[in-house]
Amino acid sequence: MNYSLRELMTIVAARHISDHQIVFVGTGLPLVATLLAKMTHAPNVHMLYESGTVDPDLQELPRTVADARVCHKAAYCRTVGEINLHYLTHGRVDLGFIGGAQLDKYGGVNSTIIGSYLEPKVRLSGSGGASDIVSLAKRVLVIMNHEKRRLVERVDYLTSPGWRAYKWPEGSFVPRQEAGMRPVGPWKVITNLGILDFDENTKEAYLAYYYPGVTKEQVRENTGFAIDVSRAQLLQIEPTDLEIKLLREKIDPTKRIL
Amino acid sequence: MAKIVSLPEAVATVRDGDTVALGGFTIARRPMAAVAEMIRQKKKDLFLVMAQGIAEDIMIGAGLSKMVLTPYLANEVYGLGFCFRRAFEKKSILVDDCGQAFHISSFLAAEYGLPFFPSIAAKGSDIYNPAYDGFKELRGKDLRLPAKKYAVIEDPFWGEGKIVLIPALRIDVAIIHVQQVGEKGTVRIYGPQGTDTSLLHGCKRVIVTCEEIVPEEELRGVPELNAASGLVVDMIAHVPWGAHPTPCAKYYDMDEEFLRAYVEASKKEDSFQRWLEEWVLSLPDHHAYLKKVGLSEAQRLRAEAHLGYAPTARREEK
């Protein structure tokens, strides 16, 4: 069956979710990926919504993160504070997803501003829960469109730090534990061209896999920092008919997200 | 003690310059009718501290606020908060960016009457960049603001490293739209509660607008399901469809077409102003709004949950 790179990216993200995990999801592509995982290899995945619900059984894509749809057969439904503190702060979240407008080579994400913060070009939404997720979830997957203007040496505003973070008040850019953060940075970056992993020593992103139909050269051209593609392998992946069918017919039939 | 008033009467108690928190979350169960009424009453210089989505975006666009504390201001998958964006880019608004944990910590401190609340999130983020404190110039002068954005201590008890202390917000007025309120003010919220529990208990004045006013005994049968007692509520206004176009769990879903049309209109200053004229300024009140949206007839016939029918007295309301 034919598929788009966006569908492939969603399937790749879904396959990174394991059964029985507690996953912190928002709306958008991470939710589609989580639902796909739940309907295939991870039927016992537990979803958390920052708006206040725990472990719902979603029947359709929510319109908003605080929709009644995210309460359907949920185990618990209360407040933003409770989800953030009971689960995220407690270290109970196995996997969190974040996205954004820019990514630095250490996996740090900007979802706040393009241009200088004090002389802004484009104002974006802001952190939401992303800066908390990268601080407190056991594992973090970053989902990004792979474009030269997005994958950059240094982001314009570091909303959600990766393996390097700012040490305040002086503002030096240091390994995240020196900035008082847990020593574990993002797990992987899933883009529409491939999967980035982080070098064990330098903690810089390198291309681990590229998708069928994509070349290493294409990845290099679409990356704004010097990216190591020497270790990259072609991702041996064949989305199943079931996965494609679930995405198109069951999870997102009206193409809200995909 | 809570008293039942009209929406204009409730909104009239909001003072220019107040620190205001609007209930709900992003684009769900927002107090939209109250927002429209604040615009009609020409409130100004409000400090918005629950800045999250469409409600605040409209207020910023309409010029009611030039100061916001926000972890996120956008309309989720429907698009950015374009009025907010324009104001930020033109520097006609002061914005202090925070993260979700920062935000809820400032509300939790307010809720519990504490001076601050600790947080361990987002430490290496630009959220804590001292140069990016949006209210830097005003601290120590504007009494609505804490003296500092945050402080850091070494955990004195368990040796867990650096802990960020987030100051309590001092909120003058909360406006929250909920599903049901008892006639003495007991509050029942269905669906995700956002930060409403904090707002109900942490603000100097609390205005609750609701889909239905129900007999207290309906809500007191299962008190653990209630979000607050009437002891903390100052004013109740019966405002059916008061969250439209945002959804109100168990009562109505999101009016997606309306929201999309708003986001589209908000992209440019002139089309936003036309939207504001058409949907807020040219309409005298919420009844006129419902009529224009096409909901007034449906509301006349809607049965009340606790009765199962639409009481005659209400059906004869205009």
Side-chain angles (χ1 to χ4, degrees), chain A residues 3-18 29-30 32-34 36-37 40-41 95 97 141-143 187-196 209-212 235-240 243-244 247 258:
Chain A
Y3 51 84
S4 70
L5 281 177
R6 198 163 158 80
E7 284 171 331
L8 181 63
M9 180 181 177
T10 310
I11 290 164
V12 168
R15 291 190 188 184
H16 280 80
I17 297 169
S18 309
L29 195 139
V32 175
T34 309
L36 180 62
T40 53
H41 64 278
L95 182 65
F97 286 96
L141 281 173
V142 183
I143 310 270
W187 181 28
K188 286 173 187 181
V189 181
I190 296 173
T191 79
N192 52 335
L193 299 182
I195 303 171
L196 312 187
Y209 294 98
Y210 53 99
Y211 299 151
L235 185 69
Q236 302 292 338
I237 184 171
E238 195 46 59
T240 66
E243 284 171 319
I244 303 278
L247 286 180
L258 294 177

Side-chain angles (χ1 to χ4, degrees), chain B residues 16 20 68 84 118 156 170 188 228 237 239 256 259 289-290 294 302:
Chain B
D16 292 344
V20 176
V68 302
F84 165 64
R170 294 192 171 172
R188 174 73 57 88
V239 188
E256 279 194 291
L259 180 62
Y289 173 84
L290 290 188
R302 188 164 71 174

Side-chain angles (χ1 to χ4, degrees), chain A residues 48-109:
Chain A
L48 296 182
Y49 272 87
E50 64 177 313
S51 59
T53 67
V54 180
D55 204 18
D57 182 16
L58 262 61
Q59 298 299 298
E60 54 175 287
L61 287 180
R63 302 330 188 221
T64 146
V65 72
D67 198 323
R69 286 170 183 79
V70 306
C71 301
H72 187 77
K73 292 191 181 163
Y76 186 79
C77 174
R78 292 286 293 181
T79 68
V80 178
E82 282 164 274
I83 299 307
N84 197 293
L85 294 161
H86 292 173
Y87 287 88
L88 207 45
T89 303
H90 256 291
R92 291 184 168 126
V93 174
D94 295 311
L95 182 65
F97 286 96
I98 70 159
Q102 288 180 327
L103 176 95
D104 72 30
K105 64 179 174 182
Y106 299 103
V109 169

Side-chain angles (χ1 to χ4, degrees), chain B residues 161-197:
Chain B
K162 294 208 181 326
I163 309 292
V164 187
L165 306 181
I166 313 290
L169 280 164
R170 294 192 171 172
I171 307 167
D172 294 307
V173 55
I175 307 178
I176 305 167
H177 186 75
V178 309
Q179 287 86 354
Q180 298 176 343
V181 181
E183 71 269 6
K184 290 181 179 162
T186 300
V187 178
R188 174 73 57 88
I189 298 174
Y190 293 104
Q193 302 198 1
T195 56
D196 290 353
T197 321

Side-chain angles (χ1 to χ4, degrees), chain A residues 69 117 119 123 128 135 256, chain B residues 71 91 97 101 122 126 253 256:
Chain A
R69 286 170 183 79
Y117 187 75
E119 296 297 331
R123 170 73 211 199
S135 306
R256 287 176 164 275
Chain B
K91 298 188 183 179
D97 269 284
D126 262 327
D253 212 325
E256 279 194 291

Side-chain angles (χ1 to χ4, degrees), chain A residues 50 64-65 69 71 78-80 113 117-119 121-123 125 127-128 132 135 158-159 166 168 180 256, chain B residues 71-73 76 78 84-85 88-89 91 97 100-101 108 121-126 129 192-194 197 253 256:
Chain A
E50 64 177 313
T64 146
V65 72
R69 286 170 183 79
C71 301
R78 292 286 293 181
T79 68
V80 178
I113 204 94
Y117 187 75
L118 302 173
E119 296 297 331
K121 266 196 249 159
V122 183
R123 170 73 211 199
S125 65
S127 163
D132 308 330
S135 306
L158 186 57
T159 315
Y166 289 121
W168 303 120
R256 287 176 164 275
Chain B
Y72 172 96
L73 206 166
E76 294 196 27
Y78 301 91
F84 165 64
R85 174 179 165 176
F88 188 94
E89 290 168 12
K91 298 188 183 179
D97 269 284
Q100 194 72 263
L108 288 169
K123 281 184 263 188
S125 163
D126 262 327
N129 186 336
Q193 302 198 1
T197 321
D253 212 325
E256 279 194 291

